[in-house]
Amino acid sequence: MAEQTSDTTAPTSLWVERTGTRRYTGRSSRGAEVLIGSEGVEGVFTPGELLKIALAACSGMSSDFPLSRRLGDNYDATIRVSGAADRENEVYPQLDEVMELDLSELDADAQERLVALVERSVDKVCTVGRTLKAGTKVTLTVEREA
């Protein structure tokens, strides 16, 4: 378990372990696990699916406070995310999110204000979305055992 200091918490360690041909288990130092593999393997997420889920979850979590303040703590939300891969370049050129909310209890003006607030909140604090939009430097180091 990560040791806490007086003013910060140690960062969560993340890694994957190979469990078979094109199959991995993603793990965190907090005890979380996720099964990862090829698209044809049942019961696993592909890495691209995890990227999309991370984006949708980040948008949901980034909008949770303003939505719960306006709709109550027990509001329902589903965030769907899609986007086809460009296999020639191995990128997702576009990811589309749709947040499904029941706003029927609000009048049209209140709905518009809340939607604008949700969009601002996600744009401001969703780290995953901000990173994808900005691009990021990724490095890989291969450690060799002798």
Side-chain angles (χ1 to χ4, degrees):
M1 187 162 166
E3 189 174 304
Q4 290 187 347
T5 61
S6 60
D7 55 0
T8 61
T9 301
T12 301
S13 296
L14 302 171
W15 68 96
V16 297
E17 296 174 352
R18 186 174 190 266
T19 57
T21 302
R22 296 184 52 81
R23 287 186 62 109
Y24 288 79
T25 298
R27 300 185 190 282
S28 84
S29 58
R30 294 192 327 268
E33 292 184 355
V34 62
L35 302 178
I36 306 161
S38 296
E39 192 170 5
V41 178
E42 286 297 314
V44 302
F45 290 105
T46 68
E49 290 167 342
L50 288 173
L51 175 76
K52 294 174 189 177
I53 287 173
L55 176 62
C58 188
S59 293
M61 293 171 69
S62 297
S63 61
D64 195 73
F65 183 68
L67 286 170
S68 64
R69 280 189 55 204
R70 191 64 180 100
L71 302 176
D73 287 335
N74 295 322
Y75 75 92
D76 292 325
T78 300
I79 299 100
R80 299 189 189 280
V81 61
S82 61
D86 170 353
R87 289 297 173 206
E88 185 175 318
N89 296 301
E90 289 299 334
V91 297
Y92 291 100
Q94 181 170 330
L95 297 176
D96 299 304
E97 293 181 279
V98 176
M99 184 177 291
E100 299 171 358
L101 297 168
D102 179 0
L103 302 180
S104 62
E105 297 294 317
L106 305 176
D107 65 40
D109 287 341
Q111 287 183 23
E112 290 303 317
R113 286 191 306 273
L114 184 56
V115 167
L117 178 59
V118 165
E119 290 170 345
R120 282 193 311 274
S121 295
V122 171
D123 285 344
K124 183 177 179 182
V125 299
C126 176
T127 304
V128 175
R130 292 174 61 85
T131 299
L132 289 170
K133 289 175 185 176
T136 193
K137 179 181 176 183
V138 177
T139 64
L140 172 66
T141 302
V142 176
E143 292 185 358
R144 294 174 253 184
E145 295 181 15

